[in-house]
Amino acid sequence: MSSGTGLIPLVVTILGLGVAAQVLADRLEIPSVLFLILAGILVGPEGLDIVGLEAFGGPEPLSAIVGLSVAIIIFEGAFHLKLSKLRQTPREAFRLITLGAGIALLGTAVVVRLALGASWELSFLIGALLIATGPTVITPILEVVPVRDRVAAALETEGIVNDVTAAILAVAIFEVVVGSGTQLQLLVTSFISRLGTGLLVGILTAGILWYLLNHVDLSPSNSVRNSRLIVLIGAIATYGIAEGIASEAGIAAVATAGILLGNVDMPYEDEIAAFKGDITLIVLSFVFISLATLLSFEDLLSLGLGGLIVVIAVVAVIRPVAVLLCTYGERFSFREQLFMGAVGPRGIIPASVATLFALELRASNPDAATLLVGTVFLVILTTVVLQGGFARHIAQTLKVLPMRVIIVGAGRVGRGLAERLEDRGENVILIDKDQEQVEQARNLGFTVHHGDGADIDVLRSAGAENAKIVAAATGDDDSNLLVAQLTNSNFDVDTVIARVNTPGNASAFEELGVRAIAADESIAQSMDNAIERPALSEWMTELGRTGDVQEIEVTADNLVGMQIEDLDTELPDGVLVALVSRDGDSQIPEPDLTLRRGDHLTFVGRRDAVHEAIERCHPELHG
């Protein structure tokens, strides 16, 4: 009775702090993991000493609770990892989970060996644990840092797969540390057997769950609820079955089952995803706060200067180098590479597994146990606080938070517009309900959402709430008009523009306040330019390939009151101010024209020069 009485306030305290941390994180737009780990320290032995290991009944009950919670978190993250996301960065994601993981393992092991004097076995054990970033820390960051989809996809893929790699590899290395026999053979056998067990169990349970959801009558009146419960219990059972066969195989099993179920057709998928998202928030709070209570400042301080060297090497050298090597090419900008290198916080997997290993080692090798848990927790604490807490600020400083441009219609017109906008650095999302068009656009490297753009839920899932432009570019005027109406009435979008295929329909768009572009008129105007103004037509065509035209509003204090001739001296070579628009009138500016707040400047020139001019004159546009 007494234990139950003590357990109730413990759970209420942890969950209450978790909800408070989530609300605070949403309000301040800071990843929740920062507040969760700080809350755990506050109520743990290093703070108010309300929650400790003994409150859970010892290490074994806590291990079971953490294991089941991690299973739900990883399953939920894998469930959202769609193949369409993986196709956006196939080469880079593969490099991150192979070459990147190898660099993290080897680099961390060498630094731990040299800076802390640990044995090679213990150094590689720490290196294996610190491979993991994981959905527990990456997902909360991406919820408040809306980077390009391809950046998010690469980070999410790396987090889910490397959680599996880190857990299984760490267990295999730990067996070498405490076991006997041929070390390399033991390591390889242990890793392959656990990974194979996890994959097999995950495939089997995913198949069973899919069959139950699609072919068994789940009671029509409560089918949604029953489907959600079946998936939840299925995820937990998948973990339990795999763990019963081989320790840490459960992580691979739930990741496999989650990816498979998330990419097949099944009923109530959206409702299941929303339900599991809510459950994940609860268990995420419980796990982070619970494990943070195990943090010992004495263990951290015992590492001395060597621990600081390890943290600096992992954060400032190993992670950035690994990301730069794995993401080379044209898919990511250098700033996006820097962001990915600067944001790689470690989370639940290294914390929970290191704690279990330390408890086993304390009897036989207490120094190794202290070094293990101290190093792992020091890296976790530093990366969560610095990288997790300041992720949005890092993204703003590196200017990798472009507002989205949503184009409904992935046909020739939509793809052509998307190509031009992406060349200018915009974050473009295409939407189309035609699977063939979707696949064709994806094969060309575009980010595409499959769905009906005239559906408000599809627009919202594509990011319309964070869009600055929505362009309806389908071949159906009715669809384009509906898209424009939905966007204007439901989202705060700066520019809504629509393609008009039948000239007679243009008036209907204009009556509703929709800016319309008639296809026939655009073609006629282009042909007229080629006939009457061939030099201008050729120049405009060339401008579309290598140049740019951009318009900004004068809001910066350093521009107000400045004359055009003074502004020209500050602009880079290869760009000029072509127009100044004021109160609806546009004019070619005179040198002595004084700028006012609210004026619009149109820059024309080389693409890089135009972008640099905008950055100098209006840097907040890129933040």
Side-chain angles (χ1 to χ4, degrees):
M1 184 73 172
S2 60
S3 62
T5 305
L7 185 61
I8 292 174
L10 172 69
V11 173
V12 171
T13 298
I14 292 176
L15 294 183
L17 286 171
V19 172
Q22 188 61 50
V23 171
L24 187 61
D26 290 341
R27 187 174 184 82
L28 299 179
E29 293 189 326
I30 294 175
S32 60
V33 290
L34 173 63
F35 298 110
L36 291 173
I37 200 166
L38 293 178
I41 295 173
L42 176 66
V43 299
E46 298 294 343
L48 301 177
D49 199 16
I50 299 174
V51 181
L53 185 62
E54 66 282 353
F56 298 97
E60 290 188 8
L62 178 59
S63 174
I65 294 171
V66 169
L68 290 174
S69 300
V70 169
I72 295 172
I73 294 167
I74 290 181
F75 182 90
E76 198 263 345
F79 189 81
H80 287 285
L81 191 61
K82 306 297 183 181
L83 291 178
S84 58
K85 278 189 176 182
L86 294 175
R87 289 175 188 158
Q88 294 175 31
T89 57
R91 295 187 302 274
E92 292 79 6
F94 180 76
R95 292 186 202 128
L96 284 170
I97 63 178
T98 52
L99 176 61
I103 292 172
L105 171 64
L106 182 60
T108 305
V110 170
V111 172
V112 170
R113 169 72 174 178
L114 297 178
L116 297 174
S119 66
W120 278 115
E121 292 84 359
L122 186 59
S123 298
F124 273 100
L125 178 60
I126 294 172
L129 288 170
L130 294 179
I131 289 173
T133 50
T136 57
V137 284
I138 292 298
T139 300
I141 289 175
L142 295 177
E143 286 176 352
V144 297
V145 185
V147 292
R148 290 180 188 272
D149 278 15
R150 62 188 61 178
V151 176
L155 290 174
E156 287 174 328
T157 305
E158 179 196 24
I160 291 170
V161 176
N162 280 359
D163 253 9
V164 175
T165 303
I168 296 177
L169 185 59
V171 171
I173 294 176
F174 186 69
E175 289 184 356
V176 173
V177 173
V178 300
S180 58
T182 305
Q183 295 185 344
L184 181 59
Q185 180 181 359
L186 178 64
L187 176 63
V188 173
T189 302
S190 178
F191 182 84
I192 292 176
S193 64
R194 283 179 167 81
L195 180 60
T197 298
L199 291 173
L200 181 60
V201 172
I203 292 171
L204 291 175
T205 54
I208 294 171
L209 290 173
W210 177 84
Y211 181 82
L212 289 174
L213 293 170
N214 283 278
H215 298 287
V216 175
D217 185 4
L218 300 177
S219 174
S221 59
N222 295 305
S223 54
V224 175
R225 183 193 65 188
N226 292 340
S227 297
R228 294 187 303 193
L229 292 175
I230 285 174
V231 173
L232 175 62
I233 297 303
I236 296 173
T238 299
Y239 176 80
I241 293 169
E243 283 292 301
I245 299 173
S247 63
E248 300 307 323
I251 301 297
V254 292
T256 301
I259 291 174
L260 291 176
L261 284 176
N263 286 280
V264 296
D265 292 330
M266 62 181 193
Y268 316 116
E269 182 175 345
D270 292 339
E271 290 83 355
I272 290 171
F275 173 69
K276 287 195 62 59
D278 293 339
I279 296 294
T280 296
L281 285 179
I282 295 174
V283 298
L284 183 66
S285 303
F286 196 89
V287 169
F288 257 108
I289 294 175
S290 301
L291 288 177
T293 64
L294 305 180
L295 187 67
S296 168
F297 289 158
E298 183 179 351
D299 289 342
L300 301 185
L301 295 174
S302 68
L303 301 175
L305 180 61
L308 183 61
I309 292 173
V310 171
V311 170
I312 293 174
V314 169
V315 173
V317 180
I318 297 171
R319 170 70 181 176
V321 168
V323 169
L324 287 173
L325 289 175
C326 295
T327 58
Y328 70 87
E330 298 180 355
R331 193 173 295 271
F332 297 102
S333 68
F334 182 62
R335 289 180 175 180
E336 288 172 337
Q337 290 176 306
L338 291 179
F339 172 76
M340 294 168 68
V343 178
R346 275 56 172 186
I348 292 300
I349 291 296
S352 58
V353 177
T355 300
L356 296 177
F357 289 168
L359 292 172
E360 288 190 44
L361 283 174
R362 288 202 187 279
S364 59
N365 195 341
D367 291 338
T370 300
L371 191 148
L372 169 64
V373 74
T375 305
V376 170
F377 268 93
L378 183 61
V379 172
I380 292 172
L381 184 62
T382 304
T383 55
V384 167
V385 171
L386 295 181
Q387 298 182 335
F390 293 95
R392 188 175 183 86
H393 300 287
I394 294 171
Q396 290 172 336
T397 301
L398 293 174
K399 300 169 185 173
V400 294
L401 293 178
M403 294 287 284
R404 293 190 171 189
V405 176
I406 296 177
I407 301 173
V408 179
R412 288 195 304 272
V413 174
R415 295 197 303 269
L417 178 59
E419 183 178 6
R420 288 171 175 267
L421 293 173
E422 285 205 339
D423 284 344
R424 297 175 188 170
E426 300 287 359
N427 183 18
V428 181
I429 312 295
L430 285 163
I431 301 176
D432 206 297
K433 59 185 178 182
D434 186 326
Q435 187 63 47
E436 185 177 343
Q437 296 280 26
V438 169
E439 292 300 323
Q440 187 173 354
R442 281 176 180 161
N443 291 336
L444 293 172
F446 295 111
T447 300
V448 193
H449 282 243
H450 182 218
D452 186 355
D455 184 329
I456 190 171
D457 291 330
V458 173
L459 286 171
R460 183 175 286 110
S461 67
E465 292 174 333
N466 190 44
K468 65 176 180 180
I469 299 171
V470 172
T474 74
D476 184 347
D477 285 352
D478 289 338
S479 293
N480 291 341
L481 186 59
L482 182 55
V483 169
Q485 287 180 294
L486 286 173
T487 303
N488 276 330
S489 59
N490 292 280
F491 305 106
D492 184 19
V493 177
D494 293 340
T495 302
V496 180
I497 193 167
R499 167 188 174 186
V500 179
N501 301 279
T502 303
N505 292 338
S507 58
F509 285 79
E510 292 168 0
E511 288 173 4
L512 293 170
V514 176
R515 185 177 177 185
I517 303 296
D520 291 348
E521 291 180 11
S522 298
I523 295 172
Q525 183 177 354
S526 297
M527 294 179 72
D528 181 44
N529 284 335
I531 295 169
E532 297 293 333
R533 293 166 288 275
L536 176 63
S537 177
E538 185 176 346
W539 180 77
M540 289 296 294
T541 300
E542 182 61 27
L543 181 67
R545 297 192 188 102
T546 62
D548 201 0
V549 180
Q550 292 282 350
E551 180 180 318
I552 66 164
E553 181 182 359
V554 176
T555 58
D557 292 335
N558 65 320
L559 292 187
V560 177
M562 181 181 289
Q563 291 187 334
I564 290 295
E565 60 184 353
D566 297 327
L567 177 60
D568 284 338
T569 61
E570 295 191 11
L571 297 178
D573 293 336
V575 63
L576 56 84
V577 181
L579 290 175
V580 176
S581 302
R582 177 180 296 169
D583 300 327
D585 296 325
S586 299
Q587 59 179 305
I588 297 174
E590 297 292 337
D592 60 350
L593 177 66
T594 301
L595 295 175
R596 302 175 186 173
R597 186 176 299 277
D599 286 349
H600 283 249
L601 303 181
T602 299
F603 292 112
V604 178
R606 295 195 322 269
R607 184 172 296 134
D608 57 341
V610 170
H611 289 188
E612 186 178 346
I614 293 175
E615 199 167 323
R616 287 188 188 182
C617 298
H618 208 101
E620 57 265 34
L621 285 178
H622 294 258

